Every structure is written in structure tokens, then in C-alpha cells.
């Protein structure tokens, strides 16, 4: 794909005398994103390997060795500090040793790293520490300080290769306040990527006169229709000027596209692919007179790893493994997270029990956070707690009216089920048979995100699958038999993600202004995984006979029961065949 040399004569006219010699240059850009703690190739509790930073390092270094390190640029587009035991261990357990991710990124010679929403979720002590320990800038130009209006994180960096100036600008996700409690990002606010990205690009081009411009955003690719604050990738792709490569992330969906003068790269997640861009420039009299771009994805071979890197970080792996396999208690009965989609189950009963153990909560909202996890009965090790609860969400107790609770549940179930009449071929669950954007393989999947399928604990209610949204949920009473009133006021336990607006259930379902949620918060508790750990430590085990106490967690079911049960069985077979 060729660029119009006249555009670049204008944008890049002021190249200094210290710039590149006349000739043709070929730079290779490699990108990762949404690594989510996938630092090690080895699993902690069973045999086997997986894609990891070790494999990424092996591939990138092979190109550096073949083509020269001066022709390679490596950047990450965010969400590197959450999602795996290794990240958790160096976030919260070993806080003295320099953070493992910073040391690994430095070893791999990343040129820039973008801040993701799950990086911010770790809290100031973690991401501020990592920012100081990285050799590369930790970037988020649209995270604006409240005190002086300047970026909290690095806004851009200039990478020099063979006399060429490559400008890398980094931006985080602007939707942060709708997911995370404000104490996690205190002192700053987040601006939409439009128009700030173009404004910053124009400013950097005017001041630095780069030969190549790369924009990396921790934002999903999106549809390009301007409707999604968290996924503005295609919105930018359609409008940006003066940018060669746009690196997207966040949605875990591998995607590459291009138009006349820009390439978009989203490598997906978890080191499964490496994003790859190539720019070939011709320089005459110190100016870029032509430029060609191309982009693609490189599948990562999990067994082709950087063996020297593995040796360097072996002690770190052993420390994380020893922490991970530490026994914490026992499990009396298997927990299967996919059972959550068909009704009450031991897994969801446990989450509601944990939430309702935190006074002054009388009702709880919770969703399955592992799509298809299975924890077997027997000895529990710490690793199992990541299957049961994979995120670092805090628990909030929020005051809500009876009507808001009912409306909330109506909205939640509408993201989960269809209105049905029992006709052959209907699907009760909202599922579709389409290609998986991560793999390209056709399979049945939910149209919505399962981690937004909230049910309630502490209530007795039914969900009528034959009725439309707004008329499905009938709340009979609280779990203890107390009358439930639409006009009443209740303390409801939920994740900090949900209280802050995640999934839009509070805002669009219950009609609550989550921008001012603090006025409704009556209590805050630590991370829910910590509450789980404390529960196991206190009780010694997870016993469904205890966590399934209907006097505490209440009871709910889909009705009519026979129709719903038959349809759910068929849909579940499609989802998990």
C-alpha cells in the first residue's frame, strides 16, 4: 500500500540534518496486547505449556538477529498486569522484588507499553510502581491529571532507528469510570479518544517531525459507528490523518485491516498472536518521498520459546508456582461455572453466600466470571481460587429501591434469555452459531457476555420465560420470608465493577446514575477473592450444604419449569458439545 509522497513532504518537511542518509529503509513493528499475566509458558498445577512472553521473545529476537535490532520496534497495547497468578503474586504478595512484568518487558526490550483498564484496576501502588521500573514509557495520554491538566502517564515517545524518528503515542481506555471504583484512579480522569488522539498526533508531528507515526490504544476495534466509548478503534481508523499504524486491543479479537495510508492491528490476547507491521520508506535529501505499509498477524508457537529468558526468570516461576499450589482448604462437591446459565447452582450459591456474609447486605447480585471453569472436589489450592474468582473486583454494598432491583434483574435476564413459546427450533438462551472472532471456527456462543448475567441472592423469585422483558421477574419475598416492597430500600452487595457501571445494568437497567454511585455506597470490602480465601480459612471447606442455605441465599427458577428445563438442556448441549 503506497502513501502519497506530497502528504509526507508537508508533514515531515523539517527533518533535521542528523536524520537518515538517503536510501531505502524497512522497519518491522511487532505488537502484543492483553497479555493478562501470561508471562510463563508452563502451567502451575498440571503438565503442559501455553503461549507466553517466552514465545513472543523467541520470535521477535529471531527477527532482530536476522534483520538487525535497529530495524525492529516492539510495543504492547495494555492489560499486562492482571489475569494470571504471576501478575497477582507480584502485584500484591511480593511487593518488594521489582515487578516481574517490568523486568520481563525490560529484558525483551519493549519500546513502549500502554496502560490498560485492567492495569488501572490493580490500583495506584501497583501501576505507579511498574511505571517507575519499566525502561520503556508506560503510556496513557488521555488519562489527565485533575490538578494540572497534564497526562498522568507518558503521552508519547520517540524511538530512533537508523536515523529515522518513529513517534509512538499511547492512550488508555476512556471508559474507566464505568468499570472501576474511583479510588483506583484517583487524581485523574479519562478523555474520549476522539478528538484527543488526532490533536496529540498533530502536536507531535509539528514538534518532532517523525518519519513514522504509531498510535497504540487500549480500546477495542469496534464497529466504527461512534456508538462505543470503550471500542473506538475503527472510529479512529476512519478519521486519523498522519498515522501509519493504529494498534488496538481490549476486546481480545484478532483483526487487521488497512486503507490507503494507515494499517490497523489488533493481535487478540494472551500471546496467541503477534501483531506485525512493515513500513518501507525511501528517503531523499533527508525527506521521506515514498512509504509503503503492510500488516498481518503471526500465530505464536507455544513450544518455540526463549530458553535463555526462561532460565533468567526460573526463580520467579518457582516462587509463583509454590504460592499457587499452596493448599487452602477442601471442596466437598465439584464447582462447575457453566451450570450458572441454567439456574441456581453450587458455584453461584457460593458467590452469593460470600456477598451476603458482608453486612449490611441483604441482597446480592453476582454473575459467573469464568465461562466454563471446573474445580474438582478435594483439596483446594490457591490456584483454584483464580478459577472461582479470576478478577480483582472489590465488593460494594449499594442502597437500591425495590423497583430498581426488579428493573435491574429484568435487564440482566434480557441479556441472557429470549422470550419463548415452546415452538420447536426456539432457543431459550440468547445464543448464535457464528465464527469465533478469536479462532475463526464456527461454534455456538452467547450473543452477550456471560459475566454480565447477574442473578440475585437473598430473594425468592421466578423468571417467566414466556413473558417479555419487563414482565418476566416476579419477586415473592426476601430469603427469610420478609415481604419485598417495590417502594422499600435495600442494601445490595455487588462488585465494584458493577457498581461503577460495568455492563450498563445499573445505568440502563436500574436507571441509576453510576457517575454519582458514591452517594449510594454504604460499605466497601476488599477484593472478593480475598473474601473467598478468608471464608475457606474460617470454615476449612466449601460445603454446598452450607453455601446453599435457602434461608440466606433465597431461591429462584425459570418458569414454566418443564418447558424451560427442556429448552435449557438443548441449548447447553449446543454451547458445550
Amino acid at each position: 500500500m503506497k502513501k502519497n509522497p506530497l502528504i509526507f513532504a508537508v508533514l515531515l518537511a523539517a527533518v533535521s540534518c542528523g536524520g537518515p542518509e538517503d536510501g531505502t529503509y524497512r522497519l518491522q513493528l511487532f505488537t502484543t496486547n492483553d497479555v493478562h499475566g501470561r508471562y510463563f509458558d508452563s502451567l502451575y498445577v498440571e503438565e503442559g505449556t501455553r503461549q507466553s512472553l517466552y514465545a513472543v521473545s523467541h520470535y521477535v529476537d529471531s527477527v532482530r538477529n536476522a534483520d538487525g535490532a535497529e530495524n525492529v520496534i516492539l510495543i504492547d497495547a495494555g492489560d499486562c498486569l492482571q489475569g494470571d497468578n504471576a501478575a497477582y503474586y507480584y502485584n500484591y504478595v511480593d511487593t518488594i522484588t521489582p515487578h516481574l512484568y517490568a523486568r520481563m518487558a525490560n529484558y525483551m526490550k519493549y519500546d513502549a507499553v500502554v496502560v490498560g483498564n485492567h492495569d488501572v484496576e490493580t490500583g495506584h501502588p501497583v501501576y505507579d510502581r511498574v511505571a517507575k521500573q519499566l525502561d520503556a514509557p508506560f503510556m496513557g495520554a488521555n488519562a489527565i491529571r485533575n490538578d494540572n491538566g497534564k497526562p498522568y502517564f507518558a503521552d508519547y515517545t520517540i524511538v530512533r532507528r537508523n536515523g529515522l524518528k518513529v513517534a509512538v503515542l499511547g492512550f488508555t481506555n476512556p471508559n474507566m469510570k464505568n468499570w472501576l471504583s474511583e479510588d483506583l484512579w484517583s487524581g485523574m480522569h479519562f478523555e474520549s479518544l476522539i478528538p484527543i488522539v488526532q490533536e496529540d498526533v498533530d502536536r507531535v508531528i509539528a514538534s518532532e517531525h517523525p518519519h513514522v507515526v504509531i498510535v497504540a490504544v487500549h480500546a477495542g476495534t469496534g464497529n466504527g459507528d461512534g456508538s462505543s466509548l470503550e471500542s473506538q478503534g475503527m472510529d479512529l481508523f476512519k478519521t486519523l490523518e498522519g498515522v501509519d499504524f493504529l494498534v488496538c486491543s481490549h476486546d481480545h479479537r484478532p483483526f487487521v485491516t488497512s486503507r490507503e495510508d494507515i494499517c490497523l492491528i489488533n493481535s487478540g490476547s494472551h500471546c496467541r498472536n503477534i501483531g506485525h507491521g512493515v513500513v518501507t520508506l525511501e528517503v531523499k535529501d533527508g525527506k521521506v518521498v515514498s512509504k509503503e505499509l503492510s500488516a498481518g498477524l503471526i500465530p505464536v508457537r507455544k513450544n518455540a520459546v526463549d530458553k535463555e529468558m526462561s532460565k533468567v526468570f526460573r526463580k520467579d516461576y518457582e516462587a509463583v508456582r509454590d504460592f499457587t499450589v499452596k493448599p487452602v482448604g477442601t471442596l466437598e462437591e465439584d464447582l462447575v461455572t457453566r451450570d450458572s446459565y441454567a439456574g441456581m447452582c453450587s458455584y453461584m450459591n457460593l458467590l452469593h453466600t460470600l456477598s451476603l456474609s458482608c453486612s449490611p447486605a441483604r441482597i446480592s447480585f453476582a454473575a459467573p466470571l469464568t465461562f466454563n471453569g471446573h474445580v474438582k472436589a478435594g483439596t483446594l489450592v490457591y490456584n483454584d481460587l483464580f478459577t472461582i474468582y479470576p478478577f480483582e473486583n472489590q465488593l460494594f454494598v449499594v442502597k437500591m429501591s425495590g423497583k430498581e432491583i426488579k428493573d435491574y434483574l429484568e435487564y440482566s435476564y434480557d441479556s441472557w434469555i429470549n422470550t419463548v413459546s415452546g415452538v420447536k427450533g426456539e432457543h431459550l438462551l440468547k445464543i448464535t452459531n457464528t465464527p469465533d472472532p478469536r479462532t475463526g471456527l464456527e461454534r455456538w456462543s452467547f450473543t452477550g457476555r456471560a459475566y454480565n448475567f447477574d442473578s440475585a441472592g437473598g430473594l425468592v423469585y421466578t423468571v417467566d420465560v414466556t413473558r417479555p422483558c419487563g414482565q418476566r421477574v416476579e419477586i415473592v419475598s426476601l430469603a427469610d420470608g420478609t415481604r419485598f416492597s417495590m417502594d422499600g430500600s435495600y442494601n445490595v452487595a455487588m462488585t465494584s465493577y458493577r457498581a461503577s457501571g460495568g455492563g450498563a445494568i445499573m445505568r440502563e437497567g436500574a436507571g441509576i446514575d453510576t457517575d454519582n454511585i458514591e452517594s449510594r455506597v454504604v460499605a466497601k470490602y476488599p477484593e472478593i477473592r480475598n473474601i473467598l480465601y478468608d471464608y475457606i480459612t474460617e470454615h476449612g471447606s466449601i460445603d454446598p450444604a452450607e453455601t446453599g442455605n435457602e434461608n440466606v441465599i433465597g431461591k429462584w427458577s425459570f418458569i414454566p419449569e418443564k418447558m424451560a428445563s427442556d429448552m435449557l438442556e438443548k441449548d447447553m448441549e449446543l454451547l458445550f458439545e
Side-chain angles (χ1 to χ4, degrees), residues 425-441:
E426 284 184 315
H427 295 288
L428 176 51
L429 297 177
K430 284 189 172 178
I431 58 177
T432 181
N433 189 18
T434 57
D436 185 339
R438 297 165 178 80
T439 65
L441 301 176

mmCIF file of all heavy atoms in Angstrom, residues 425-441:
data_model
loop_
_atom_site.group_PDB
_atom_site.id
_atom_site.type_symbol
_atom_site.label_atom_id
_atom_site.label_comp_id
_atom_site.label_asym_id
_atom_site.label_seq_id
_atom_site.Cartn_x
_atom_site.Cartn_y
_atom_site.Cartn_z
ATOM 1 N N GLY A 425 -37.391 -25.492 17.653
ATOM 2 C CA GLY A 425 -36.376 -24.679 16.995
ATOM 3 C C GLY A 425 -36.051 -23.395 17.729
ATOM 4 O O GLY A 425 -35.076 -22.715 17.398
ATOM 5 N N GLU A 426 -36.868 -23.025 18.726
ATOM 6 C CA GLU A 426 -36.581 -21.824 19.518
ATOM 7 C C GLU A 426 -35.390 -22.080 20.438
ATOM 8 O O GLU A 426 -35.147 -23.214 20.866
ATOM 9 C CB GLU A 426 -37.791 -21.446 20.370
ATOM 10 C CG GLU A 426 -38.926 -20.799 19.639
ATOM 11 C CD GLU A 426 -40.038 -20.373 20.604
ATOM 12 O OE1 GLU A 426 -40.392 -21.178 21.488
ATOM 13 O OE2 GLU A 426 -40.520 -19.243 20.466
ATOM 14 N N HIS A 427 -34.696 -21.008 20.763
ATOM 15 C CA HIS A 427 -33.620 -21.073 21.750
ATOM 16 C C HIS A 427 -34.000 -20.211 22.945
ATOM 17 O O HIS A 427 -34.319 -19.029 22.786
ATOM 18 C CB HIS A 427 -32.301 -20.579 21.149
ATOM 19 C CG HIS A 427 -31.781 -21.444 20.044
ATOM 20 N ND1 HIS A 427 -31.254 -22.693 20.266
ATOM 21 C CD2 HIS A 427 -31.735 -21.240 18.706
ATOM 22 C CE1 HIS A 427 -30.888 -23.218 19.114
ATOM 23 N NE2 HIS A 427 -31.172 -22.358 18.140
ATOM 24 N N LEU A 428 -33.955 -20.823 24.118
ATOM 25 C CA LEU A 428 -34.216 -20.049 25.325
ATOM 26 C C LEU A 428 -33.034 -19.141 25.648
ATOM 27 O O LEU A 428 -33.204 -17.961 25.953
ATOM 28 C CB LEU A 428 -34.503 -20.986 26.503
ATOM 29 C CG LEU A 428 -34.707 -20.324 27.866
ATOM 30 C CD1 LEU A 428 -35.735 -19.200 27.805
ATOM 31 C CD2 LEU A 428 -35.101 -21.350 28.918
ATOM 32 N N LEU A 429 -31.845 -19.683 25.566
ATOM 33 C CA LEU A 429 -30.656 -18.863 25.771
ATOM 34 C C LEU A 429 -30.378 -18.037 24.524
ATOM 35 O O LEU A 429 -30.610 -18.489 23.402
ATOM 36 C CB LEU A 429 -29.442 -19.737 26.088
ATOM 37 C CG LEU A 429 -29.512 -20.564 27.378
ATOM 38 C CD1 LEU A 429 -28.271 -21.437 27.522
ATOM 39 C CD2 LEU A 429 -29.675 -19.667 28.602
ATOM 40 N N LYS A 430 -29.880 -16.832 24.714
ATOM 41 C CA LYS A 430 -29.525 -15.980 23.583
ATOM 42 C C LYS A 430 -28.170 -16.424 23.035
ATOM 43 O O LYS A 430 -27.109 -15.939 23.459
ATOM 44 C CB LYS A 430 -29.496 -14.507 24.011
ATOM 45 C CG LYS A 430 -30.887 -13.902 24.167
ATOM 46 C CD LYS A 430 -30.842 -12.404 24.365
ATOM 47 C CE LYS A 430 -32.261 -11.825 24.315
ATOM 48 N NZ LYS A 430 -32.286 -10.367 24.553
ATOM 49 N N ILE A 431 -28.241 -17.359 22.106
ATOM 50 C CA ILE A 431 -27.026 -17.922 21.520
ATOM 51 C C ILE A 431 -27.103 -17.838 20.001
ATOM 52 O O ILE A 431 -28.180 -17.715 19.418
ATOM 53 C CB ILE A 431 -26.809 -19.386 21.958
ATOM 54 C CG1 ILE A 431 -28.017 -20.260 21.567
ATOM 55 C CG2 ILE A 431 -26.537 -19.472 23.451
ATOM 56 C CD1 ILE A 431 -27.842 -21.734 21.892
ATOM 57 N N THR A 432 -25.942 -17.890 19.379
ATOM 58 C CA THR A 432 -25.868 -17.821 17.920
ATOM 59 C C THR A 432 -24.747 -18.720 17.435
ATOM 60 O O THR A 432 -23.751 -18.939 18.145
ATOM 61 C CB THR A 432 -25.630 -16.371 17.451
ATOM 62 O OG1 THR A 432 -25.596 -16.327 16.033
ATOM 63 C CG2 THR A 432 -24.309 -15.837 17.986
ATOM 64 N N ASN A 433 -24.894 -19.250 16.248
ATOM 65 C CA ASN A 433 -23.880 -20.114 15.651
ATOM 66 C C ASN A 433 -23.099 -19.313 14.619
ATOM 67 O O ASN A 433 -23.485 -19.222 13.456
ATOM 68 C CB ASN A 433 -24.538 -21.332 15.006
ATOM 69 C CG ASN A 433 -23.521 -22.370 14.557
ATOM 70 O OD1 ASN A 433 -22.383 -22.357 15.006
ATOM 71 N ND2 ASN A 433 -23.936 -23.263 13.680
ATOM 72 N N THR A 434 -22.017 -18.697 15.054
ATOM 73 C CA THR A 434 -21.207 -17.834 14.196
ATOM 74 C C THR A 434 -19.734 -18.132 14.411
ATOM 75 O O THR A 434 -19.347 -18.721 15.425
ATOM 76 C CB THR A 434 -21.467 -16.347 14.513
ATOM 77 O OG1 THR A 434 -21.205 -16.113 15.908
ATOM 78 C CG2 THR A 434 -22.903 -15.957 14.202
ATOM 79 N N PRO A 435 -18.877 -17.731 13.478
ATOM 80 C CA PRO A 435 -17.442 -17.942 13.664
ATOM 81 C C PRO A 435 -16.919 -17.202 14.893
ATOM 82 O O PRO A 435 -17.274 -16.050 15.129
ATOM 83 C CB PRO A 435 -16.831 -17.384 12.371
ATOM 84 C CG PRO A 435 -17.941 -17.420 11.380
ATOM 85 C CD PRO A 435 -19.185 -17.155 12.163
ATOM 86 N N ASP A 436 -16.109 -17.874 15.656
ATOM 87 C CA ASP A 436 -15.462 -17.253 16.807
ATOM 88 C C ASP A 436 -14.422 -16.253 16.292
ATOM 89 O O ASP A 436 -13.509 -16.642 15.560
ATOM 90 C CB ASP A 436 -14.783 -18.330 17.657
ATOM 91 C CG ASP A 436 -14.180 -17.785 18.940
ATOM 92 O OD1 ASP A 436 -13.916 -16.569 19.009
ATOM 93 O OD2 ASP A 436 -13.971 -18.575 19.870
ATOM 94 N N PRO A 437 -14.535 -14.957 16.661
ATOM 95 C CA PRO A 437 -13.573 -13.968 16.157
ATOM 96 C C PRO A 437 -12.151 -14.235 16.625
ATOM 97 O O PRO A 437 -11.203 -13.730 16.040
ATOM 98 C CB PRO A 437 -14.111 -12.650 16.717
ATOM 99 C CG PRO A 437 -14.951 -13.036 17.884
ATOM 100 C CD PRO A 437 -15.546 -14.364 17.544
ATOM 101 N N ARG A 438 -11.989 -15.043 17.671
ATOM 102 C CA ARG A 438 -10.646 -15.335 18.162
ATOM 103 C C ARG A 438 -9.980 -16.451 17.362
ATOM 104 O O ARG A 438 -8.772 -16.476 17.198
ATOM 105 C CB ARG A 438 -10.704 -15.718 19.649
ATOM 106 C CG ARG A 438 -11.197 -14.603 20.554
ATOM 107 C CD ARG A 438 -11.569 -15.155 21.935
ATOM 108 N NE ARG A 438 -12.009 -14.106 22.840
ATOM 109 C CZ ARG A 438 -13.222 -13.572 22.848
ATOM 110 N NH1 ARG A 438 -14.117 -13.976 21.972
ATOM 111 N NH2 ARG A 438 -13.551 -12.628 23.705
ATOM 112 N N THR A 439 -10.793 -17.413 16.890
ATOM 113 C CA THR A 439 -10.226 -18.581 16.217
ATOM 114 C C THR A 439 -10.668 -18.723 14.771
ATOM 115 O O THR A 439 -10.029 -19.428 13.991
ATOM 116 C CB THR A 439 -10.620 -19.860 16.967
ATOM 117 O OG1 THR A 439 -12.042 -20.033 16.892
ATOM 118 C CG2 THR A 439 -10.206 -19.793 18.432
ATOM 119 N N GLY A 440 -11.798 -18.083 14.411
ATOM 120 C CA GLY A 440 -12.351 -18.232 13.075
ATOM 121 C C GLY A 440 -13.200 -19.470 12.906
ATOM 122 O O GLY A 440 -13.822 -19.677 11.857
ATOM 123 N N LEU A 441 -13.276 -20.321 13.941
ATOM 124 C CA LEU A 441 -14.049 -21.554 13.873
ATOM 125 C C LEU A 441 -15.502 -21.283 14.229
ATOM 126 O O LEU A 441 -15.798 -20.528 15.161
ATOM 127 C CB LEU A 441 -13.462 -22.603 14.827
ATOM 128 C CG LEU A 441 -12.007 -23.008 14.586
ATOM 129 C CD1 LEU A 441 -11.542 -23.980 15.659
ATOM 130 C CD2 LEU A 441 -11.851 -23.636 13.202
#
